[in-house]
Amino acid sequence: MAEQVKVEEVADAMYKMVKDSMGQKKWKATDLTKAVLELFGDRCDKALAKSAIRELIESGKCVYTYFGGSFIEIPHKEGAEN
Amino acid sequence: MAKEKRKTPKLDELEKGKWPSFVKEIKTAAEKNPMAEDLLGQLERSYEEKIGHWKHGGIVGVLGYGGGVIGRYSDLPEEFPNVSHFHTLRINHPAGWFYTSDVLRKLCDIWEKHGSGLTNMHGSTGDIIFLGTRTEELEPVFKELTDIGFDLGGSGSDVRTPSCCCGKARCEWACYDTMALTYFLTMHYQDELHRPAFPYKWKFKMAGCPNDCVASIARSDMSIIGTWRDEIQMDKEAVAEYAKSGLNIQRDVVGNCPAKCMDWDGKEIKIDNKACVKCMHCINTMPKALSPGKDRGACILIGSKAPIVEGALLSSVLIPFIKLEPPYTELIDLVDRIHEVWAENGKNRERVGEFIQRVGMGNFLEAIEVEPIPQMIAHPRENPYVFYEEYYEEDGEDSDGQEEEK
């Protein structure tokens, strides 16, 4: 099996996906997992993707949001707060 | 000069009658808490206009968690500034909802310091609900809660706080230790509880016997209901006592048995235990004489939900009987397989029951590697024009290898 990518690398890739589609698409954890599995092929698995999501959230680079379901987004000023 | 009291004629109607009134409680809180005062104002306004004035959802939470805080903002912040933020916190309740009075006081002290002071004990999820605080108070309240041993519960697309009946703590009919299993599942699925990773919510509810006091069959994605597989235990002397004391056993017990598996000859009750459907009616009616069997475990059902995106569903049987004892390996393996299949293939906001309806029970069972069995079927199929692939092979032979008749 190919050598696994580092968790930081997966987290960076996820961050880019979320950032690039901000305002156009909301990502669920499962969507991000599927996307990185496709991107990295057998160098990434679900456990690694899960760790990468945790890294993203705990670093504060991304936050969980709720709009009907739960999504992962870049922190931003809450629209409803205005 | 004393502040003029806010007039709330519509809400005042809800104080009338003999039942406890949430309006009365909010008014009491409003005497010392400005959030509760503005809440009364906004609520009165909603009753006048017949319009809700809350904006729901958003990004509020505590660092690292994706659940436990439900964002809520007023759309009339200038008019009611003290409820411009009015977030709800879900606090993971102890299994069976047992507290010491000391802990309850501590919880209330924390909430009076950081929020509206209004609570809901308990929400329909089972959690302790803290109603109304500001975004900047979330981290401080979370810290104080964790300092006294509490944690946030689930919300959003995650495992919701597991809940159960009081089980063996207070009920002799509990067929397994619901509180132990609830605690175990809560700890085992901490990651899934705090970090939403599913298409939508997932609820576990544990009921110790088929009376299902937590209504798990109607409101949990996985209902784990205690049952037994041997014979109903009977104390014949107690049966005679019931008859002597005037209970009409023929009419009120035997006559109401849905499986018609009981007989009463005036002296003895005879039960055809193989036909018993574990409805609990006879046991509930004669609790001193009858009780669940000795070979106890649980039935696992899947797929119920209240109507939100689509209509309500009741759970259906997945595993008719399982012994539920630590370390619960068999149960965890099953749940993990279901989560894997549902997370991979479920649509956004699709509960597992709706997912099963969409893909079909047969395909779902195949995906989670569970063999179909008769107990999963409510009634035999009604459409005779159903053909199964294994009977018709490509070369014109049936499944026995014999050439098919033309």
Side-chain angles (χ1 to χ4, degrees), chain A:
Chain A
M1 192 190 149
E3 195 182 337
Q4 279 206 325
V5 283
K6 287 185 177 159
V7 67
E8 295 81 10
E9 203 177 330
V10 181
D12 286 346
M14 286 177 169
Y15 180 75
K16 189 172 182 312
M17 288 171 195
V18 176
K19 191 163 186 277
D20 290 351
S21 56
M22 211 175 149
Q24 296 164 344
K25 175 186 163 98
K26 287 187 191 295
W27 293 82
K28 290 187 81 76
T30 44
D31 299 333
L32 281 173
T33 302
K34 284 177 190 168
V36 291
L37 291 182
E38 198 176 316
L39 182 68
F40 293 108
D42 61 0
R43 294 191 302 139
C44 181
D45 58 22
K46 283 182 183 173
L48 185 59
K50 194 173 174 179
S51 303
I53 290 172
R54 189 164 177 165
E55 167 97 10
L56 271 183
I57 299 293
E58 291 187 350
S59 67
K61 288 173 79 177
C62 285
V63 287
Y64 286 109
T65 62
Y66 180 84
F67 292 95
S70 298
F71 298 92
I72 293 171
E73 295 186 63
I74 308 286
H76 55 274
K77 167 93 172 149
E78 177 65 84
E81 201 177 333
N82 297 324

Side-chain angles (χ1 to χ4, degrees), chain B residues 8-302:
Chain B
T8 54
K10 297 271 186 196
L11 290 179
D12 294 348
E13 290 296 312
L14 296 171
E15 284 186 284
K16 295 176 183 169
K18 55 186 174 180
W19 312 111
S21 164
F22 72 94
V23 173
K24 186 180 164 195
E25 299 304 324
I26 299 176
K27 284 184 177 174
T28 306
E31 286 169 13
K32 53 183 180 181
N33 189 307
M35 287 186 109
E37 171 67 20
D38 273 6
L39 178 64
L40 282 173
Q42 180 165 317
L43 203 51
E44 179 70 15
R45 176 83 172 263
S46 285
Y47 277 100
E48 282 166 7
E49 298 175 353
K50 297 189 173 71
I51 295 172
H53 285 289
W54 296 117
K55 295 186 282 185
H56 167 59
I59 66 172
V60 289
V62 296
L63 181 65
Y65 280 22
V69 180
I70 295 101
R72 191 163 285 120
Y73 298 93
S74 169
D75 69 0
L76 302 167
E78 287 83 18
E79 209 169 324
F80 304 107
N82 294 310
V83 292
S84 57
H85 295 202
F86 202 72
H87 310 315
T88 295
L89 271 82
R90 287 199 185 133
I91 322 294
N92 196 323
H93 60 284
W97 300 289
F98 286 94
Y99 302 91
T100 61
S101 52
D102 179 50
V103 154
L104 287 173
R105 284 194 188 93
K106 283 178 181 163
L107 286 168
C108 291
D109 287 346
I110 291 171
W111 196 231
E112 286 190 346
K113 184 174 159 194
H114 295 287
S116 70
L118 297 167
T119 64
N120 177 1
M121 304 287 276
H122 297 83
S124 56
T125 53
D127 298 89
I128 302 160
I129 307 293
F130 281 3
L131 288 160
T133 193
R134 296 191 60 79
T135 305
E136 58 271 22
E137 294 289 346
L138 294 173
E139 290 291 351
V141 76
F142 178 56
K143 184 186 178 307
E144 290 198 28
L145 282 169
T146 51
D147 286 348
I148 62 163
F150 280 82
D151 194 0
L152 295 184
S155 68
S157 307
D158 62 12
V159 168
R160 300 301 183 83
T161 314
S163 71
C164 64
C165 66
C166 60
K168 290 189 171 178
R170 287 181 59 202
C171 181
E172 71 273 28
W173 292 335
C175 294
Y176 70 97
D177 192 340
T178 55
M179 291 169 64
L181 180 61
T182 300
Y183 180 75
F184 173 81
L185 291 173
T186 305
M187 301 313 285
H188 185 84
Y189 287 111
Q190 276 290 293
D191 197 51
E192 288 78 5
L193 208 154
H194 297 308
R195 298 175 188 87
F198 295 134
Y200 206 17
K201 62 187 87 168
W202 171 276
K203 296 179 179 178
F204 287 110
K205 292 203 191 296
M206 276 57 73
C209 78
N211 277 335
D212 195 11
C213 290
V214 282
S216 68
I217 199 164
R219 46 190 211 119
S220 61
D221 298 273
M222 180 167 275
S223 324
I224 304 177
I225 301 177
T227 188
W228 64 95
R229 59 182 170 183
D230 58 348
E231 297 178 349
I232 290 175
Q233 298 184 74
M234 192 187 308
D235 178 340
K236 290 185 178 174
E237 283 178 20
V239 172
E241 278 297 311
Y242 273 109
K244 201 173 149 191
S245 66
L247 176 69
N248 187 333
I249 293 176
Q250 181 59 45
R251 186 192 67 196
D252 297 335
V253 181
V254 175
N256 285 334
C257 173
K260 305 288 174 217
C261 69
M262 305 181 84
D263 276 321
W264 168 246
D265 61 6
K267 287 180 186 167
E268 266 188 43
I269 289 178
K270 289 208 173 82
I271 303 173
D272 177 6
N273 280 281
K274 282 183 186 158
C276 173
V277 293
K278 319 286 193 288
C279 78
M280 294 291 289
H281 172 74
C282 59
I283 296 174
N284 291 336
T285 314
M286 307 171 73
K288 290 179 187 169
L290 303 174
S291 59
K294 289 178 181 165
D295 187 9
R296 298 177 177 191
C299 175
I300 298 178
L301 301 96
I302 191 157

Side-chain angles (χ1 to χ4, degrees), chain B residues 345-365:
Chain B
N345 303 295
K347 292 179 182 175
N348 186 29
R349 301 192 80 194
E350 185 174 49
R351 296 284 286 273
V352 75
E354 293 160 348
F355 171 69
I356 293 168
Q357 283 195 326
R358 178 166 63 85
V359 301
M361 188 56 134
N363 291 328
F364 175 73
L365 292 175

